[in-house]
Amino acid sequence: VLLACVDRHFDDNSLDAKARREEDLANLGLLWRGTARHCRPSSAEDKPNIVSMREFTVGLDSIDRISAVRLFVPQDTKPHEARKNIMKSLKEVQRRFPDGLPLLDPVKDLKINVGEFNKLLERASELKERLASHALSTEMDESERLKRVSAYERKQDRMDVARALRREARSCQTMVMKDDLRKMKRVLKELGHVDGSGVIQTKGRTACEINTANELVVVELVFAGVFNDLTVEQSVALLSCLIFDERTKDDDDPAQGLKSYLSGPYYKLIELARSVVKVAISCKIELNEDEFVDKFNPGLMEAVYAWCKGAKFIEVQKLTGTFEGSTIRALRRLEELVRQLASASKAIGNLELQEKFEKGSELLKRDIVFCSSLYL
């Protein structure tokens, strides 16, 4: 449809907008298509030189009434002169019918003789009567009514602008997320989880099985052969560093006081964790190296080692600085991580590691820690 409208930027009274006003007016006739985002309906207060006819795409639900007056529109409405002539014709029609345009009667003119349609006409008539009896029509004069309607229109315009800004913000957020995804994909390529074409490799298949701890560090431990030279108890104790997140020591070296058969694997874990975070930082992912490494807490290593050796829970609890509930929760998460590593080892065909982690799961899963209820 062709509608008389005004570009929204003509409502901008800033200095930059005023400086571009002459250029915008000169280019006004070149624009032939309009959108609700960039245009608004013209009003009687608008200057004629900023009003132009534009083509809009509307749905049938946007058509309120159809006039009996018919105007002949040229096939090509892109030229400015063609749209200008249409606007002159509209003004002439409004001059000839000052009391309003005659409307097509749906029954007499359009020959619509459907019972359901008659019901709709009756409903529309009732709504018109209710609108005529509304306080806006009966208790307010014309100026006050126009003032309130104009205020409502301005509110709707601002809401349209707000919706457009929200859509733009969402698109910007999507661009940021895509940038983060590209950085993460670069990390996976550097660490060997995917190849240059994005095809998942053996490391990637292993990482897919892990979701309880940092899968990148866990996979590096597996493929660096750290678990190959460790006993089942040492392996499970080392994995506790990845799921235990409560600080129990204030020393500069959290591994201080650990026995050599536990401190050695822990330092190897820290070394691999630093290599992973350095790759991530080199791929422009915002991480702090020290904060990343500090997440791996050895505070439960001795307790887990003793538990796997068959110690009682009361004896194990003396080796920790946490509450009993925290210890039980950590052991349950650790058992889940060990089971995931057993599945990952099976997926890559490492039967020796699979057997070692399955044995570790059996050592963990006993006594009060894995009781379904304390009252049984």
Side-chain angles (χ1 to χ4, degrees), residues 19-200:
R20 300 192 306 267
R21 190 64 51 86
E22 293 184 4
E23 182 181 354
D24 292 339
L25 289 172
N27 297 330
L28 189 62
L30 302 177
L31 303 174
W32 60 275
R33 185 176 292 278
T35 61
R37 181 179 178 182
H38 300 100
C39 305
R40 64 166 176 81
S42 63
S43 63
E45 300 175 355
D46 295 323
K47 296 180 180 179
N49 62 333
I50 65 173
V51 179
S52 62
M53 297 292 289
R54 303 277 181 90
E55 283 189 11
F56 289 84
T57 302
V58 299
L60 290 176
D61 56 346
S62 301
I63 299 176
D64 184 21
R65 290 164 293 179
I66 301 178
S67 167
V69 179
R70 181 181 178 184
L71 292 179
F72 291 93
V73 179
Q75 292 184 352
D76 187 7
T77 57
K78 294 180 182 179
H80 177 57
E81 287 299 324
R83 288 180 281 115
K84 192 175 180 180
N85 291 334
I86 295 173
M87 183 179 291
K88 290 180 180 179
S89 301
L90 282 175
K91 290 181 179 180
E92 177 63 22
V93 170
Q94 291 174 347
R95 187 187 67 80
R96 292 186 182 184
F97 299 95
D99 297 331
L101 300 179
L103 301 178
L104 285 176
D105 187 277
V107 178
K108 296 179 180 179
D109 299 327
L110 301 180
K111 309 300 182 182
I112 301 177
N113 296 314
V114 182
E116 292 294 329
F117 185 76
N118 293 329
K119 291 181 181 179
L120 292 175
L121 286 178
E122 293 176 1
R123 177 61 177 163
S125 178
E126 292 177 3
L127 292 175
K128 288 180 180 178
E129 292 177 359
R130 290 176 59 184
L131 183 61
S133 62
H134 193 271
L136 277 173
S137 301
T138 58
E139 299 178 6
M140 299 180 187
D141 55 15
E142 184 70 18
S143 60
E144 179 65 19
R145 183 163 57 251
L146 289 176
K147 180 180 178 182
R148 295 203 176 192
V149 172
S150 299
Y152 180 78
E153 290 177 349
R154 288 195 298 271
K155 176 185 175 183
Q156 289 298 112
D157 290 341
R158 287 185 173 89
M159 290 179 67
D160 292 339
V161 173
R163 280 193 288 269
L165 291 175
R166 280 195 292 269
R167 286 195 297 269
E168 186 176 352
R170 282 195 294 268
S171 64
C172 293
Q173 185 179 7
T174 303
M175 292 175 61
V176 172
M177 292 177 65
K178 287 181 179 178
D179 188 45
D180 291 340
L181 287 174
R182 282 194 293 269
K183 294 175 183 178
M184 294 176 185
K185 189 174 180 180
R186 201 175 303 132
V187 172
L188 295 178
K189 287 182 182 179
E190 292 292 330
L191 293 176
H193 291 256
V194 296
D195 61 12
S197 302
V199 179
I200 190 169

Side-chain angles (χ1 to χ4, degrees), residues 253-363:
D253 185 3
Q256 185 177 356
L258 286 178
K259 296 180 175 60
S260 59
Y261 57 83
L262 294 178
S263 61
Y266 171 73
Y267 289 130
K268 183 63 177 177
L269 165 64
I270 296 302
E271 180 184 345
L272 291 172
R274 288 192 183 278
S275 66
V276 170
V277 72
K278 286 178 180 177
V279 170
I281 293 174
S282 67
C283 294
K284 308 301 182 183
I285 292 182
E286 295 182 3
L287 284 174
N288 184 284
E289 182 176 340
D290 294 330
E291 290 181 0
F292 182 84
V293 171
D294 289 342
K295 292 179 182 178
F296 303 102
N297 186 359
L300 209 61
M301 289 187 74
E302 290 185 354
V304 171
Y305 186 85
W307 179 257
C308 292
K309 283 293 186 180
K312 294 181 179 180
F313 183 77
I314 190 172
E315 298 172 354
V316 170
Q317 186 60 30
K318 293 177 181 178
L319 299 174
T320 69
T322 61
F323 294 106
E324 290 82 353
S326 299
T327 304
I328 291 175
R329 185 170 63 252
L331 289 174
R332 284 175 174 266
R333 285 187 61 200
L334 178 58
E335 193 274 335
E336 184 180 358
L337 175 59
V338 172
R339 276 192 291 108
Q340 290 175 357
L341 272 168
S343 300
S345 302
K346 182 179 179 180
I348 62 176
N350 193 330
L351 301 181
E352 184 180 350
L353 271 185
Q354 178 187 354
E355 183 180 352
K356 179 177 289 189
F357 289 127
E358 288 177 349
K359 179 64 176 176
S361 177
E362 294 175 5
L363 294 177

